[in-house]
Amino acid sequence: MTTKHLLLTSKIIGCLFITIAFFSCKKEKTTPQTTAVTLGLYEYASGINKRIFLPITQVGTKAVTYYTVFDTGSSGMTLDATDILPASMITSSGIQVTGDSVVVNGITVTSTKGTISFGDQLSSTKEYGNLAYANITIGDAQGNLALKRVPFFLYYKILDETGAKLPAHASDVFGVGPGTSYVTSEIQSPLRYFNTGTNLTSGFKLATLNKSLFSTSGTYVSNLLTIGLSSSDLSSAGFIMHPLTYSSSGGYSPNIPATIAYNGNTISGQILFDTGTPSTTVIEDRLATTSVGSLPSNSTVTITTNKGFVYTYTTSSTGNLTEVQNPNNTGDYRTIFSLDFFISNEYLTDYSNHQIGLKNN
């Protein structure tokens, strides 16, 4: 596997409406699945930074090969319009759409525009684009799944915190969070468009990642992602379930209340378990000084959620990197656990019942 760019920030902190017109589409009928679908993911590393990628191989009627960041920390898929739409439709001022919408290559591109921000006040990127709909195929020749009429964010420009433009497809994200995009509630996890019927529950499981298989070329690891949940997944598989809180902005939040203990300090917080954060866990401590920074190697961190899930780890120079920040500096109150968490723990999101399951491996 190859990827054109490694995006290092991924915490979604908000989106700005540029238009308020919404476009409704008729959904295609799909046949319910009787069994869950299991796919592999690619484990990629560049230095201390790690990613898990899910390939996209079909958008509308167009065959593509894009590796999207599998991201539990955001909701909805974002794709660069480059090489998906005709170049004549993409200008420096945006994607050109006449009327409410236009259909190109089997993709419905609407006139609803917006901006998505990933990151915090210290480091962020912004994508500019439009709401779109298309049939998509996730996975590749080693295992794939077709999803019908998926709403997603089709962006034409991405800028980093300095205002520099990043390369095309630098931030293709496959957000599987339980909520909805701040651009429009139409955009949510594409995995919701897997028709579970009455035999399964809408949601997914992520198996523990294999630390030894992360590589600079990207290693395909089978059976990491299970789409569609069985009754045993939800009742007898050992997951500790955490009911989620609903907000009128963004829908069901993936943030889980917990206590966080580090270096003799114990604080309360909201934790986001985020596969989209590639290397460093950020503990947000309102009492921290302005000179906060990285915890030294061999520091011990323990979290205990409000439902009794406990996880303890020790920092090192090459893994479980952790820093402490004051939310007044970052503009983000959430403690965000990086991809390293998923090497030691299993993770489940139940869309139907609005809960997240955590399980020590």
Side-chain angles (χ1 to χ4, degrees), residues 67-139:
Y67 294 93
T68 60
V69 175
F70 186 85
D71 186 14
T72 58
S74 65
S75 299
M77 183 176 73
T78 73
L79 283 178
D80 197 309
T82 303
D83 297 325
I84 292 178
L85 297 181
S88 59
M89 288 186 64
I90 307 170
T91 72
S92 59
S93 59
I95 299 172
Q96 302 304 299
V97 177
T98 302
D100 288 336
S101 66
V102 62
V103 179
V104 182
N105 296 328
I107 304 163
T108 301
V109 186
T110 79
S111 59
T112 300
K113 300 179 180 180
T115 303
I116 293 181
S117 296
F118 293 91
D120 57 27
Q121 290 179 169
L122 302 181
S123 180
S124 65
T125 58
K126 290 184 179 180
E127 297 177 355
Y128 301 81
N130 294 52
L131 168 65
Y133 298 80
N135 297 343
I136 66 168
T137 298
I138 61 176

Side-chain angles (χ1 to χ4, degrees), residues 29-34 147 191-198 200:
K29 291 183 179 180
T30 58
T31 302
Q33 293 282 144
T34 57
L147 301 172
L191 298 185
R192 288 177 175 268
Y193 294 85
F194 175 79
N195 190 339
T196 59
T198 58
L200 299 169

Side-chain angles (χ1 to χ4, degrees), residues 37-61:
V37 172
T38 302
L39 299 178
L41 300 171
Y42 287 86
E43 294 189 359
Y44 171 84
S46 176
I48 61 172
N49 296 302
K50 305 180 187 73
R51 288 290 192 199
I52 48 175
F53 287 106
L54 176 65
I56 303 294
T57 50
Q58 188 89 17
V59 181
T61 59

Side-chain angles (χ1 to χ4, degrees), residues 6 8 44-51 214 277-280 321 339:
L6 179 66
L8 299 184
Y44 171 84
S46 176
I48 61 172
N49 296 302
K50 305 180 187 73
R51 288 290 192 199
F214 282 93
T277 294
S279 61
T280 304
L321 302 176
L339 193 61

Side-chain angles (χ1 to χ4, degrees), residues 191-357:
L191 298 185
R192 288 177 175 268
Y193 294 85
F194 175 79
N195 190 339
T196 59
T198 58
N199 295 315
L200 299 169
T201 296
S202 179
F204 70 91
K205 291 187 302 181
L206 182 64
T208 51
L209 307 179
N210 191 322
K211 184 177 181 180
S212 66
L213 294 181
F214 282 93
S215 69
T216 55
S217 59
T219 304
Y220 179 82
V221 183
S222 62
N223 301 322
L224 285 179
L225 176 64
T226 299
I227 306 165
L229 302 173
S230 68
S231 57
S232 62
D233 290 330
L234 301 176
S235 61
S236 59
F239 286 94
I240 297 177
M241 296 299 178
H242 298 78
L244 304 178
T245 302
Y246 180 81
S247 170
S248 58
S249 176
Y252 285 93
S253 169
N255 303 327
I256 294 174
T259 58
I260 305 152
Y262 73 96
N263 285 3
N265 302 297
T266 300
I267 61 173
S268 60
Q270 297 283 325
I271 296 181
L272 173 66
F273 298 98
D274 185 14
T275 55
T277 294
S279 61
T280 304
T281 290
V282 179
I283 297 173
E284 295 287 353
D285 185 349
R286 291 181 173 84
L287 301 179
T289 67
T290 55
S291 59
V292 295
S294 299
L295 292 180
S297 294
N298 298 315
S299 297
T300 299
V301 178
T302 298
I303 60 163
T304 305
T305 70
N306 63 335
K307 295 300 179 181
F309 173 81
V310 180
Y311 172 56
T312 298
Y313 68 90
T314 302
T315 62
S316 73
S317 60
T318 58
N320 287 322
L321 302 176
T322 303
E323 66 179 38
V324 178
Q325 288 287 347
N326 190 304
N328 291 325
N329 298 335
T330 62
D332 194 339
Y333 67 90
R334 301 165 302 170
T335 287
I336 297 183
F337 271 66
S338 75
L339 193 61
D340 281 335
F341 171 84
F342 299 85
I343 295 173
S344 303
N345 302 279
E346 296 181 57
Y347 184 89
L348 174 154
T349 295
D350 174 357
Y351 296 128
S352 295
N353 299 298
H354 315 299
Q355 57 185 347
I356 284 175

